[in-house]
Amino acid sequence: MRKAIIIGGGPAGLSAALRLQQITDVTSTVYELRPEPTTLGGAVGLLPNGLRLFHRLGVYDDLLSRGSSHSMVNLRSLKGDIITTQDIVGRVREQNGGIGYLRIKRIDLLQVLLKAAEKAKIPIHYGKKIIEIEESEHEVKVTFSDGTTDTGDLLLGCDGIHSAVRKLYVDPKHATEYTGFSGLFALLPISALPEGSADELKGINATFTTDGVFLTMSCSAKDDEALWGFSKEVPLPKTGDTRDGWEVKREEEIAGFKNDLLDLISDAKGEWGNIMRAMVQETSVVRFYPVYKLASGGKWYKGRCLLLGDAAHAMAPHAGQGVSMAAEDVFMIARLLEDPDRSLEDAFAAFDRIRRPRVNEITTQATKNSEVRRRSSEWGLWLKETAIWAYFWVSRLVGYNSLANTERQLLYDVDEAEI
């Protein structure tokens, strides 16, 4: 039996421990920095390429009982018009065994995976800050700030964009970059909104403004809870890219944010305008977050250590693929470790060779999707809305499948990739 030390108790780390147990001889111990399972974050989207992997992990039904599977996207104008309506998964659901899209609160996703990990008897330790990684010929050793240590045959860094495993050992010079965008979001019960709001909020709604995009989406199976968010360009604070700078920025942004946003959507027409304003007015807690990414390139492995998910290739969230990319990573490395006679060096090199083109493609898509969030004039907003409407109208007229490339990405199956 081989042993994996997994740093990070989020979706990537827990999924890795579960999949390794399913198909390899590798047992895992998970270490999480935070003192308890985190409730940070709002909701995450699981597209078909990732959702089918959670089905293979055996947690699909539990996820489905907690999240919203509505996949229709309405692109809206402040004038009250729907510019276009698209199914985010297109025809993929029918080609994917009925598995389509799921929007679920991050804490619910985490609880489902924790339940599965408990059933699988996977050890998870909290409050563990890794401070040193050492390798010998036959093992890797980690030391934590409380003085405890552990050894294993391999180490998986699943600890997110600010990965300690990457900074301490694998690629210390590979720094994060600010994307230029920040977001604010809030969760609230639909019962607090005007009558009839539930039907309007079942899918995903994106309303264009001159200052960014106002997003809403249901994120519960009963459609009784919704998330709204606003994504826009925000310059770095004068103090630079520091934690203190962002804390000050958060205070400044949140203090007047509701009033600023209400002013921005004050002229929004019709029932949809009323719903948007009610969502902002009824919000009591707003979370602000700057969107970072990792520059392309960078090392993903060193010796017995491999980075997975955001620790290796954090991208802007505008393709909705962050969790799914981590799941694909997990399934690929499990396949490569299935043969106990395969060396770690060969497995990690193959992982890098196979995964990097796929990750680069999705990263490019995420960057492209961010363009609609850029600040514009009234004229620029009209031009943007008109161009989007014309593109989809012409596509329907000539029978062009405007989602063909997206469908190809969503039908990708990491378990069928050649290794």
Side-chain angles (χ1 to χ4, degrees):
M1 294 288 289
R2 292 172 291 174
K3 177 184 174 182
I5 298 170
I6 297 178
I7 304 300
L14 296 175
S15 297
L18 289 166
R19 189 58 177 173
L20 288 173
Q21 187 178 92
Q22 276 185 335
I23 70 168
T24 76
D25 69 339
V26 179
T27 62
S28 303
T29 301
V30 179
Y31 293 95
E32 166 58 38
L33 171 65
R34 296 181 178 89
E36 59 187 12
T38 178
T39 57
L40 295 175
V44 297
L46 301 176
L47 289 160
N49 55 297
L51 195 53
R52 78 166 70 91
L53 302 182
F54 286 106
H55 185 278
R56 291 170 191 167
L57 278 182
V59 298
Y60 176 74
D61 290 340
D62 204 355
L63 291 174
L64 203 62
S65 72
R66 297 171 183 242
S68 172
S69 56
H70 300 295
S71 58
M72 296 305 295
V73 178
N74 297 314
L75 302 182
R76 294 177 178 266
S77 163
L78 286 176
K79 296 177 181 178
D81 305 321
I82 293 181
I83 301 168
T84 189
T85 298
Q86 293 285 328
D87 189 331
I88 196 171
V89 298
R91 300 167 300 181
V92 171
R93 183 182 283 103
E94 289 70 31
Q95 302 172 59
N96 196 39
I99 296 175
Y101 173 79
L102 192 70
R103 172 67 59 172
I104 186 170
K105 289 188 293 184
R106 182 180 173 84
I107 186 60
D108 284 341
L109 170 61
L110 194 60
Q111 287 175 348
V112 167
L113 292 172
L114 284 168
K115 177 182 173 183
E118 182 180 6
K119 183 178 179 180
K121 296 182 167 49
I122 294 170
I124 306 171
H125 303 281
Y126 293 94
K128 291 291 188 175
K129 181 181 179 181
I130 186 171
I131 59 171
E132 188 176 22
I133 300 171
E134 301 172 278
E135 279 200 48
S136 65
E137 184 180 354
H138 300 294
E139 66 181 16
V140 58
K141 177 182 177 182
V142 296
T143 302
F144 299 97
S145 60
D146 60 5
T148 59
T149 63
D150 196 4
T151 58
D153 296 282
L154 66 147
L155 170 65
L156 298 179
C158 302
D159 48 344
I161 186 171
H162 302 294
S163 170
V165 176
R166 185 184 71 247
K167 293 178 180 179
L168 284 172
Y169 191 72
V170 176
D171 195 1
K173 294 182 179 180
H174 196 194
T176 57
E177 295 180 348
Y178 178 52
T179 63
F181 291 91
S182 290
L184 295 101
F185 69 88
L187 289 161
L188 72 163
I190 291 179
S191 60
L193 302 177
E195 188 176 351
S197 297
D199 288 336
E200 293 289 333
L201 292 168
K202 280 183 178 178
I204 302 168
N205 294 277
T207 305
F208 298 110
T209 77
T210 56
D211 207 33
V213 178
F214 187 93
L215 293 165
T216 72
M217 56 205 71
S218 170
C219 53
S220 64
K222 296 181 179 179
D223 294 320
D224 57 359
E225 194 167 10
L227 176 142
W228 68 258
F230 192 72
S231 176
K232 66 175 183 175
E233 291 180 277
V234 176
L236 281 168
K238 293 179 180 180
T239 50
D241 182 9
T242 66
R243 179 176 175 83
D244 289 343
W246 279 116
E247 288 294 337
V248 171
K249 193 69 177 176
R250 288 186 181 119
E251 292 173 5
E252 293 172 352
E253 287 286 331
I254 293 172
F257 181 75
K258 287 175 64 173
N259 287 336
D260 291 344
L261 186 51
L262 286 171
D263 286 343
L264 190 64
I265 62 176
S266 62
D267 294 331
K269 309 297 183 186
E271 181 181 5
W272 181 245
N274 293 334
I275 291 173
M276 285 196 298
R277 286 186 287 270
M279 293 186 85
V280 178
Q281 289 165 343
E282 294 296 328
T283 293
S284 57
V285 177
V286 179
R287 294 188 173 94
F288 174 87
Y289 63 96
V291 179
Y292 284 87
K293 66 177 182 177
L294 284 171
S296 59
K299 293 169 59 178
W300 289 0
Y301 67 95
K302 178 181 177 181
R304 294 178 174 271
C305 301
L306 174 71
L307 303 175
L308 299 179
D310 281 354
H313 48 69
M315 62 186 71
H318 304 138
Q321 283 279 16
V323 174
S324 295
M325 285 297 101
E328 288 186 6
D329 283 357
V330 163
F331 272 64
M332 176 52 70
I333 193 55
R335 287 183 65 195
L336 293 167
L337 292 174
E338 196 169 1
D339 179 1
D341 294 327
R342 187 172 199 163
S343 70
L344 285 181
E345 180 180 2
D346 182 63
F348 290 174
F351 176 90
D352 191 295
R353 171 177 52 82
I354 298 166
R355 289 297 295 152
R356 202 172 284 268
R358 167 71 170 172
V359 167
N360 289 344
E361 179 184 18
I362 301 301
T363 299
T364 299
Q365 185 65 51
T367 302
K368 180 180 176 182
N369 291 350
S370 69
E371 292 303 310
V372 298
R373 292 163 168 80
R374 293 198 180 279
R375 188 176 291 110
S376 63
S377 63
E378 292 285 350
W379 165 253
L381 177 61
W382 177 86
L383 194 62
K384 182 189 302 182
E385 292 176 348
T386 303
I388 292 172
W389 172 84
Y391 173 74
F392 284 104
W393 183 81
V394 171
S395 296
R396 293 190 186 99
L397 185 66
V398 302
Y400 171 69
N401 181 12
S402 58
L403 297 177
N405 187 56
T406 299
E407 289 179 358
R408 178 185 57 78
Q409 293 174 350
L410 300 183
L411 285 170
Y412 174 87
D413 191 338
V414 69
D415 276 346
E416 294 179 358
E418 185 176 350
I419 62 172

